Amino acid sequence: MVKPLADSTDGDVYIYMTDIHRGFPYQWPGSTPEEKLDLFKQKIAKQVDQVLQLEPKYQDNIVFVPFNEPEGNMFGTGEWSYNRISWLSDPRDYFKAWDDVYALIKGKLPDARIAGPNTSVLYAQVKGYLQHVVQAGTVPDVMTWHELSHPEQVRESVKRYRQMEAEVFAGTKYAGKQLPVNVNEYAFNYHTSVPGQMIQWVSAIEESKVDADIAYWNIDGNLSDSAVQANRGNGQWWLFNAYGSMSGHTVQVTPPYPGQNYTLQGVATLDPGKKQARAIFGGADSAGHIRFENVPAGVFGREVHAWVREIPWTGQIGDSAQPEIVAERDVAVKDGAVVFDFGSGDLPRLKESSAYEIVLTPAGSGTLTAPAPKLWERSYEAEDARYTGGGYSRNGPEGSPADVSKFYTSGRYDVGGLRTGSDGVLDFTVEVPQAGRYDLGVFANSLNTFDRVREQGPTNVFVRVDGGAEQELFLPLGYKWVVWDHADTTVELPAGKHVISLATRSLDGAKATKGDAIVDRIRLSLPNPAAATSIYEAELADLHGTRPSYEDRHERGISGSGVVAVGRGQSATFWVYSAQDAAASLDLKLLGSGKASVTVNGVPVTDARRGSSAATVSLSGGINKVTVTGRSGTPLVDRLEVRQAAGALAATVYEAESAQLAGTAKVSQLSLAGGKAAVTGVGGEPGNANTLTFTVRAAASGTYAMRVRYSNPEQSAATHYNPDPLARHADISVNGAAAQRVMFPHTFHENNFWELTVPVGLKKGENTVEFSAAELPDFDGTTYASETFPGVLLRSQYAPAIDKITVAPYSD
């Protein structure tokens, strides 16, 4: 984990050293206080030794956190504490332990960075901690504490800490210095995944000029409620993508209610070199007056080009497409200001669950990027729908500013009743402006471990339009109740009023719901045919070694406001969304002379030049990294156009049950697998021969996209509030060559299948593709978690259940 983070961002990894213990509060072994601390020091020494095995350039990216929330754990009053004396009332034992551990870490790694005290809030006693560490010479390299209540507390605590620090450091060798601060746990369930909530935290953290890390409240491997499924992100992921795209320096933001929680808040930047200003804001369900003042004429001229985009909430584990264009226009700078009024004209009212992004550049001479992706959209709350039949429940209120431990839910209520044995029907009355094929998203949830859900997995319901046009829809699973995802389909609707029903029995009575689901809302939208091609502007891309140009001398036909010259070794990276693992047409609009290379997710797909820059590519479902790198001359990148092209790359399906099985690998009957069967039991203890081998034919030698349809039910017993799903791995070997290791995230049930695209190199003709797995060793490469923690499942021995693979050329 350290290497890819450090290579891409030079970011830090904070090691919570007490997490070596199970439970929360941590189960700290030892029969006496002295034995507890001695055993813990041995574990700390081992963790430092592991870091010492990293290359020296990566050791600098590590920050050690010896104690986590010590006032409620090791140096609190509970059963597992040091001696049941809280350091908040008597700090002597904690201070001695801190000094001992500090010396231990620095003794092994003198340049190590250590963080503390890592309390659950900024207690007044932290001032005494500062006084001690200054006197003892054990001052942490980073000051850490947690803010889990509300965003405004960040501003208040940072201000209070800086006052403490200045008073304690006065007259010492630290006088005038400020330690780096990392609020290394922030936000709660109500906030995470919701762009309109998280932007308020981002605003407070940015304004306070500290670092911060989202708290780990839920499952591992999902980037603190940002990543969903395999390679997909929710609205929060796209919010942080927009935040990460900001460059230059921050500028003052004056919200309507400065620092007040759950109101319109934001962050803004100005980059004079790129000639761009960016603002991200949100958190209000209202009209909005957004005003850029003191717009520098020397940077932007008398007119700017503006993109306005919405980053919607798509559920805690709901996949999200790229931010949607709300409006795009050239705007005159009047009296040094540019103004946008939401809720009037062609800008919609703000939604409190959404965040919004505005990017300003010089006006340039380009045309509009693209039309809005939707012609119309509405949401309908389940608690407002009509329910008939038995078993109905109206659940809530769910999360709110007054109860941030609960999950965010649209309208604060949801509806139950669609379950095994029910005769329930949930009717939504909708009204649409014109005839067409509408996208329907049902925001729903089932707990994957719940009794009624265990048998089948996803809960099936029957979608009807005006009592007919029935289709079966499988509602999504989650790791807890009230964790929202969306199941998507399409419905044909004439203009006017209609009733869209979710029913537990098919019209002919032959089928019925299995499982148990709750429903938050439905979302109905009419796609804009003119926006079938997604357009990504180069001037808005992530640029390396180059800047946009907005000069009027560029040729006609460009879109947006400008172009980007990518000289040799310079690059522009686009984050491209695909709804499915499928083929798409990528058309890179180039001007000027010269050549550029294009990679998709690190795989070279084409060399582009003016007039010859289109390629058909196998995209992964979700987020794809498309990088354009200059090779020769001076190619000018205008934009990247992406259009779905299903079937454009010939694909062959290979069912797992028809492949060669060895050892304990077996065919299992699973109702939602293709052919109702999948292969399980691949893997096991080290040295096993339990494998699955496909024979695959390739028309030509080259790189192919192997789309693996899989399920992964592996879940360890949780010891506290975190459900503990495990990623399974498969070692995939082609033609007996060295295997590549691929991780397959948890799908919440063996009968719940997702797809993951794996690039593989095939030779012309017949190839063998073997899936194997085994329990992976510990960091030392020789011991295993099953030996160190007997009875505790930390890593799976098995590959996922494989339904099928689909093999297509990676590109044309």
Side-chain angles (χ1 to χ4, degrees), residues 88 102 141 152 211 306 317 323 328 339 409 420 453 562 578 638 648 760 785:
L88 297 177
Y102 184 97
D141 300 277
E152 174 58 11
D211 293 329
I317 50 176
E328 182 186 0
V339 177
T409 299
T420 302
V453 177
S578 176
D638 175 28
V760 292

Side-chain angles (χ1 to χ4, degrees), residues 71 117 119-127 130 143-147 153-154 156-162 164:
E71 76 284 355
T119 48
S120 59
V121 298
L122 183 68
Y123 291 101
Q125 288 89 336
V126 169
K127 185 174 182 179
L130 282 173
M143 279 296 300
T144 56
W145 70 84
H146 303 161
E147 299 289 0
Q153 190 62 53
V154 173
E156 295 173 359
S157 293
V158 171
K159 182 179 179 180
R160 190 159 57 93
Y161 166 71
R162 290 301 185 197
M164 291 182 188

Side-chain angles (χ1 to χ4, degrees), residues 438-442 463 487-491 500 502 522-525:
Y438 285 75
D439 290 332
L440 173 66
V442 180
V463 178
D488 302 319
T489 187
T490 61
V491 290
I500 295 178
L502 305 180
I522 65 170
R523 181 179 60 193
L524 200 61
S525 61

Side-chain angles (χ1 to χ4, degrees), residues 210-360:
V210 297
D211 293 329
D213 309 317
I214 305 174
Y216 166 36
W217 287 114
N218 295 301
I219 58 174
D220 49 12
N222 75 344
L223 302 179
S224 297
D225 304 319
S226 300
V228 302
Q229 294 194 22
N231 206 54
R232 297 177 183 268
N234 58 21
Q236 178 173 288
W237 189 94
W238 286 104
L239 170 67
F240 279 96
N241 179 267
Y243 183 38
S245 297
M246 289 178 144
S247 59
H249 58 267
T250 53
V251 297
Q252 183 177 352
V253 174
T254 305
Y257 303 97
Q260 185 171 323
N261 292 308
Y262 310 110
T263 62
L264 186 63
Q265 302 289 330
V267 176
T269 58
L270 173 65
D271 188 332
K274 290 177 70 173
K275 296 187 177 181
Q276 288 187 6
R278 292 177 181 246
I280 49 177
F281 54 93
D285 192 3
S286 67
H289 180 78
I290 309 299
R291 181 180 180 90
F292 292 78
E293 294 185 337
N294 302 313
V295 177
V299 175
F300 293 98
R302 292 178 291 183
E303 191 174 47
V304 300
H305 191 84
W307 290 267
V308 183
R309 296 189 285 199
E310 180 185 2
I311 307 171
W313 177 65
T314 54
Q316 282 79 6
I317 50 176
D319 180 39
S320 176
Q322 70 269 32
E324 301 175 356
I325 289 182
V326 172
E328 182 186 0
R329 62 183 65 152
D330 288 338
V331 183
V333 181
K334 296 181 179 180
D335 299 324
V338 176
V339 177
F340 301 89
D341 283 312
F342 288 79
S344 64
D346 61 349
L347 290 177
R349 284 175 59 86
L350 301 174
K351 302 173 188 172
E352 55 94 14
S353 62
S354 293
Y356 297 83
E357 178 188 38
I358 297 178
V359 183
L360 304 183

Side-chain angles (χ1 to χ4, degrees), residues 30 38-39 124 148 235 254 341 351 365 382 451 465 502 547 656 733 749 777 789:
D38 287 342
L39 289 171
L148 306 173
T254 305
D341 283 312
K351 302 173 188 172
S365 58
D451 287 343
V465 176
L502 305 180
R547 293 173 175 174
S733 173
H749 197 279
F789 299 96

